[in-house]
Amino acid sequence: MALSQSALSELLDAFRTGDGVNLIRESVRMVMQELIETEATEQIGAGRYERTEARTTERNGARSRLVATQAGDVQLRIPKLRKGSFYPSILEPRRRIDQALYAVVMEAYVHGVSTRSVDDLVAALGIDSGISKSEVSRICAGLDEVVGAFRTRSLDHTAFPYVYLDATYLHVRNSSSQVTSMAVVVATGITAEGAREVLGLDVGDSEDEVFWRGFLASLKKRGLSGVRLVISDQHAGLVAALRRSFQGSGHQRCRVHFARNLLAHVPKSHSDMVAAVFRTIFAQPDPATAASTWDEVRDQLAGRFPKIGPLMDQAKAEVLAFSTFPRAHWSKIWSTNPLERVNKEIKRRARVVGIFPNEAAVIRLVGAVLADMHDEWQSGERRYLSEGSMALLVRRGVSDLTVLFETMRHASCSFGVA
């Protein structure tokens, strides 16, 4: 590909005025930027300020992206489009995951815990059985640094009104060479602007309260704030940790998980009917109607299946917690389905490994999967929740504070306080 005249002029100016490493880095930046612009032009069907019949969309500004190269870090500008999305192929958005998968498989191979699928993958990669431990260590060290920086980054750049928590289980070999099932917990959040972010991950022997409290405390220490609603299942350890760590925040019990609990008390022949009746609660237009429909469904089902009554009575407040938030958010916050899709991708990647050689290998691969997923969310054109709907959430919060202050003021006056 030939550089454009403007890019050549910039490069010549850099050669005349530049020096040493800065010159090399600037040259790399210019060439990469030109490649990005050329690829964008091909996708759009027209260059900058060019009018053609082949044009399919238009440029709509650009977003900055810091990219590490052998010449140093370079700041690139990725064009945004009015319709559709664009991500340059030279930045290889999936490369980090592939490196992590390679490192984990190689480490498993070196430690002698590979399964048949790992052996097949090693052969496909063209690696003989003589791979050195030092080579594996070198690859792992680089990935651990990248994943470690991602896991410990600051979260104080914005508030996160909605936080999702969930766990999935992977097979990991412990220090005694026994294969155990370990919990991989993941937290994602919705920013005050409506964008999605991966907040953190950790690995533990079980989902007890101590483990969850440590994980939640680490998120808060990194700057997590402004949490209005936490969406999760009803695991006892997690719920107990939430009461201690997020006092004042609401808890949305996942409606999907609760529906499964409900159906466990119903004969299989009646499960479709019960599920359909239960779903009518979430088709209501406002909180009051949803609450009254819940009571009607409760009475209807409890008449035939007595165990359902106490179960629905106990769960009502937490399963309907979503209804006090903007209507436009309901379908996104009444279950952990958004995080279930994240866990599904983790499982898909982990399936290749089978048994992880240690906890560090789990963090390495899962961290890489989440880091790339986070990057894709950040570079996407669409927000998870619109700015307009998030503004409704902000106004609701201000209204709640106004009511609180008015209540306090009237209480003070009633006691003769000026």
Side-chain angles (χ1 to χ4, degrees):
M1 184 208 74
L3 293 176
S4 66
Q5 192 61 42
S6 60
L8 283 171
S9 298
E10 279 190 70
L11 198 53
L12 288 172
D13 289 340
F15 271 105
R16 295 191 188 100
T17 61
D19 60 335
V21 176
N22 290 335
L23 172 60
I24 297 174
R25 184 167 62 243
E26 183 62 14
S27 300
V28 170
R29 185 197 67 78
M30 289 180 185
V31 171
M32 291 185 72
Q33 188 64 56
E34 187 68 12
L35 288 169
I36 291 172
E37 293 296 338
T38 300
E39 187 175 349
T41 296
E42 290 178 358
Q43 180 170 327
I44 294 170
R48 284 180 174 277
Y49 313 113
E50 183 182 3
R51 297 180 179 275
T52 68
E53 293 182 359
R55 177 189 290 277
T56 58
T57 183
E58 298 176 348
R59 287 175 169 80
N60 185 29
R63 59 181 179 276
S64 296
R65 177 70 184 272
L66 187 65
V67 177
T69 72
Q70 291 186 340
D73 292 345
V74 296
Q75 194 77 38
L76 300 175
R77 291 176 59 78
I78 303 175
K80 296 194 294 185
L81 309 182
R82 292 193 182 278
K83 295 180 180 179
S85 61
F86 169 74
Y87 194 89
S89 59
I90 63 170
L91 297 186
E92 301 180 43
R94 287 290 182 185
R95 187 179 176 190
R96 189 188 291 143
I97 298 177
D98 297 332
Q99 287 179 335
L101 181 58
Y102 175 90
V104 171
V105 170
M106 291 303 100
E107 187 174 17
Y109 194 76
V110 167
H111 284 276
V113 296
S114 57
T115 61
R116 181 177 178 82
S117 62
V118 173
D119 288 332
D120 291 342
L121 184 56
V122 169
L125 291 170
I127 305 298
D128 296 328
S129 59
I131 185 173
S132 68
K133 293 184 179 181
S134 60
E135 177 68 8
V136 173
S137 298
R138 183 188 65 79
I139 297 170
C140 292
L143 285 165
D144 289 345
E145 183 179 353
V146 172
V147 172
F150 173 71
R151 291 181 65 210
T152 58
R153 76 191 191 282
S154 174
L155 299 176
D156 60 3
H157 57 285
T158 183
F160 289 89
Y162 300 128
V163 171
Y164 299 80
L165 299 171
D166 201 5
T168 189
Y169 284 81
L170 300 178
H171 294 296
V172 186
R173 196 173 293 272
N174 62 20
S175 56
S176 302
S177 295
Q178 296 175 322
V179 177
T180 60
S181 182
M182 300 195 73
V184 180
V185 299
V186 177
T188 63
I190 309 298
T191 69
E193 295 76 33
R196 293 182 77 186
E197 290 195 20
V198 174
L199 303 179
L201 79 144
D202 205 353
V203 179
D205 293 327
S206 65
E207 291 186 76
D208 61 16
E209 180 183 352
V210 175
F211 174 67
W212 273 113
R213 281 176 60 187
F215 179 61
L216 297 177
S218 69
L219 295 179
K220 294 178 72 174
K221 187 176 181 180
R222 288 165 49 206
L224 177 64
S225 63
V227 179
R228 304 278 290 278
L229 185 68
V230 179
I231 303 98
S232 74
D233 62 14
Q234 197 69 4
H235 190 283
L238 172 54
V239 173
L242 286 173
R243 293 195 185 106
R244 298 285 295 273
S245 302
F246 285 100
Q247 294 178 349
S249 301
H251 177 227
Q252 169 63 43
R253 181 173 179 177
C254 175
R255 56 168 278 194
V256 177
H257 284 83
F258 178 73
R260 292 172 188 161
N261 296 338
L262 206 65
L263 294 177
H265 298 282
V266 175
K268 191 172 182 180
S269 58
H270 293 77
S271 59
D272 290 342
M273 180 274 292
V274 172
V277 172
F278 181 70
R279 283 195 296 269
T280 62
I281 298 170
F282 304 92
Q284 306 310 313
D286 56 70
T289 310
S292 61
T293 305
W294 177 285
D295 294 335
E296 293 171 6
V297 169
R298 183 260 183 219
D299 294 340
Q300 179 182 348
L301 295 179
R304 300 184 64 179
F305 314 106
K307 292 183 179 179
I308 285 183
L311 190 66
M312 291 190 67
D313 290 339
Q314 184 181 13
K316 180 179 179 180
E318 287 184 307
V319 178
L320 295 184
F322 72 88
S323 64
T324 61
F325 291 84
R327 182 68 178 82
H329 297 179
W330 287 9
S331 63
K332 300 291 181 68
I333 64 172
W334 60 26
S335 75
T336 57
N337 279 356
L339 196 46
E340 293 287 347
R341 288 190 285 272
V342 174
N343 285 338
K344 185 177 180 180
E345 178 64 13
I346 291 173
K347 286 282 193 181
R348 187 179 74 84
R349 290 285 178 168
R351 196 175 298 120
V352 178
V353 181
I355 299 173
F356 286 81
N358 48 49
E359 290 184 35
V362 177
I363 293 291
R364 188 176 303 127
L365 179 59
V366 175
V369 170
L370 294 177
D372 273 331
M373 194 175 293
H374 176 86
D375 288 348
E376 289 181 6
W377 289 349
Q378 297 303 294
S379 62
E381 296 296 323
R382 295 182 60 186
R383 299 177 189 272
Y384 192 65
L385 294 172
S386 68
E387 283 188 276
S389 67
M390 293 306 293
L392 294 175
L393 182 62
V394 173
R395 286 199 291 271
R396 176 182 175 275
V398 172
S399 176
D400 289 346
L401 286 174
T402 302
V403 171
L404 176 62
F405 290 143
E406 283 296 311
T407 303
M408 293 174 64
R409 186 175 68 82
H410 287 304
S412 297
C413 291
S414 65
F415 283 102
V417 180

